[in-house]
Amino acid sequence: MGESNSSVDEDLLLKEFFAEVSEVERDNEVVRILSCFKLNPFEFLKLSFDSSVEDVKKQYRKLSLMVHPDKCKHPQAKEAFGALAKAQQQLLDQQERDYILSQVTAAKEELRAKRKKQLKKDTASKLKSLVDEGKSEQEYEQSEEFQQQLKLKVRELLTEQEWRRRKMAMRISEEEGRLKKDEEEQKEMWKRKREHEEQWEGTREQRVSSWRDFMKSGKKSKKGELRPPKLKTEDPNKSYVQRPVKRG
C-alpha cells in the first residue's frame, strides 16, 4: 500500500514539474540529447557511471516525458525521444552495461596511473598540503575535475573500441565477399564442365557414325597408293618382307 501511494505521489510531482517546464526548456533538452556522445548512454540520460537500474528507469521516464513528440514542438523531438529509449535499452541490457562499465574501469585506472606519476614529481611538502586540505584519492575521484576527466577518457576509450569493432567488421565483410566470389567461380566452373559433358554426350551418335564411315572408306586403297608390306608365303620355311615396288 505504501509503495502504491509513493508511486502516485511521484506521478503528481512529475505532472507538476512538466506543467512548469517551458517550451524553451523542452527545446534545449532536445538539443542537449542530440549533441551527446553517441557511444555513452549515461550521457544521454545525464547519469553518473555508478547509477543503478532504478536510477536509469526513473531518469528515462522524466526526460522522455520532457521531449515526447506529443508534448514538445521541436522538429527533432522524435529523434531525441528515440535516442533516450535506445540509451535506456543499452543500460538495462546487462551485457551492454557491463561492456560500458568495463571501459569506465579502464579509464579510471589510466587516470589513477597518470595522477600517481604526477604526484611522484611533487615535493613531500606539496603532498602533505594536499592531504591536509582533505584531497585524498577517494575524495579527489568525487571531484568535478576528476569526473570531467573520466568522462573524456571514457569517450576516448569507447571511440577506440568502436573503431576497432568497425575495422574488424569490415575485414570480416571483405573475407565473406572473397569466399562468396570463390564459391561463385567454383559453381561457374562446374556449370561449364557439365555443359561440356552434355554437349560431348549429345554428339556421341554423330561421332560414332563418322568413325564407322571412316573405317569403311579406309579399307579401299587408291591407285598408286603404297600398300603396307606383306609376308611372302610361297616358301613356308622363309619369312621375309616383300618391299613395295614403285610402278611407272
Side-chain angles (χ1 to χ4, degrees):
M1 187 69 180
E3 291 182 1
S4 178
N5 290 334
S6 176
S7 178
V8 171
D9 291 341
E10 188 175 320
D11 289 341
L12 289 173
L13 285 173
L14 278 173
K15 287 180 180 179
E16 290 175 3
F17 170 75
F18 288 115
E20 297 172 2
V21 173
S22 68
E23 195 62 38
V24 174
E25 289 173 308
R26 292 180 186 275
D27 289 349
N28 288 341
E29 185 60 21
V30 170
V31 173
R32 183 200 69 80
I33 292 169
L34 296 180
S35 64
C36 286
F37 177 56
K38 306 298 182 185
L39 304 176
N40 184 1
F42 286 100
E43 192 170 326
F44 281 97
L45 295 173
K46 291 201 294 188
L47 290 171
S48 61
F49 293 120
D50 58 355
S51 299
S52 66
V53 171
E54 279 304 311
D55 292 334
V56 171
K57 291 179 180 179
K58 287 180 181 179
Q59 186 72 346
Y60 167 74
R61 188 181 180 201
K62 178 181 176 180
L63 296 180
S64 62
L65 286 173
M66 192 172 187
V67 299
H68 196 286
D70 293 341
K71 308 269 185 192
C72 180
K73 296 179 181 179
H74 193 285
Q76 292 180 291
K78 185 176 181 181
E79 187 178 345
F81 183 78
L84 288 177
K86 183 179 178 181
Q88 181 193 224
Q89 183 181 7
Q90 285 180 298
L91 293 179
L92 294 183
D93 183 299
Q94 191 62 46
Q95 187 174 354
E96 286 280 349
R97 186 185 180 89
D98 289 346
Y99 164 71
I100 295 168
L101 291 179
S102 70
Q103 299 307 306
V104 173
T105 300
K108 284 182 178 180
E109 289 175 355
E110 284 194 30
L111 291 176
R112 286 165 182 164
K114 182 180 178 181
R115 177 171 168 79
K116 187 176 181 181
K117 188 175 180 180
Q118 289 174 339
L119 290 178
K120 281 183 179 179
K121 297 178 182 179
D122 292 338
T123 60
S125 58
K126 189 170 183 179
L127 287 173
K128 185 177 184 302
S129 65
L130 287 173
V131 175
D132 292 341
E133 290 174 9
K135 294 182 179 178
S136 64
E137 290 303 310
Q138 187 175 1
E139 290 176 339
Y140 172 72
E141 291 186 7
Q142 297 298 324
S143 67
E144 185 65 27
E145 178 187 355
F146 180 83
Q147 291 301 317
Q148 185 61 27
Q149 290 178 358
L150 180 61
K151 181 180 176 181
L152 294 175
K153 178 57 69 173
V154 169
R155 179 178 295 190
E156 179 185 326
L157 295 182
L158 287 173
T159 301
E160 289 176 359
Q161 291 298 326
E162 178 64 13
W163 174 239
R164 288 173 185 167
R165 185 193 68 77
R166 292 189 184 187
K167 283 201 298 184
M168 181 62 69
M170 182 176 65
R171 288 175 184 172
I172 291 173
S173 179
E174 289 175 351
E175 181 64 16
E176 288 176 346
R178 186 186 67 79
L179 292 174
K180 186 177 180 180
K181 183 180 178 181
D182 290 346
E183 184 181 353
E184 289 174 352
E185 289 177 351
Q186 284 286 340
K187 287 181 179 179
E188 185 62 25
M189 184 187 73
W190 284 110
K191 181 182 177 182
R192 290 197 300 267
K193 184 177 179 181
R194 284 196 302 272
E195 289 175 351
H196 176 72
E197 290 174 350
E198 289 171 0
Q199 185 179 7
W200 176 261
E201 188 65 27
T203 59
R204 172 190 284 271
E205 291 299 325
Q206 182 183 349
R207 286 183 284 107
V208 170
S209 178
S210 298
W211 175 251
R212 286 172 180 167
D213 293 343
F214 171 77
M215 292 300 292
K216 287 178 182 179
S217 63
K219 291 181 179 179
K220 297 178 181 180
S221 60
K222 296 181 181 179
K223 187 177 181 180
E225 185 179 14
L226 295 178
R227 297 182 179 182
K230 296 182 179 180
L231 292 175
K232 291 192 74 173
T233 57
E234 287 81 353
D235 189 348
N237 297 320
K238 295 181 179 181
S239 176
Y240 57 91
V241 175
Q242 177 182 0
R243 297 181 180 278
V245 178
K246 186 175 182 182
R247 297 177 183 178

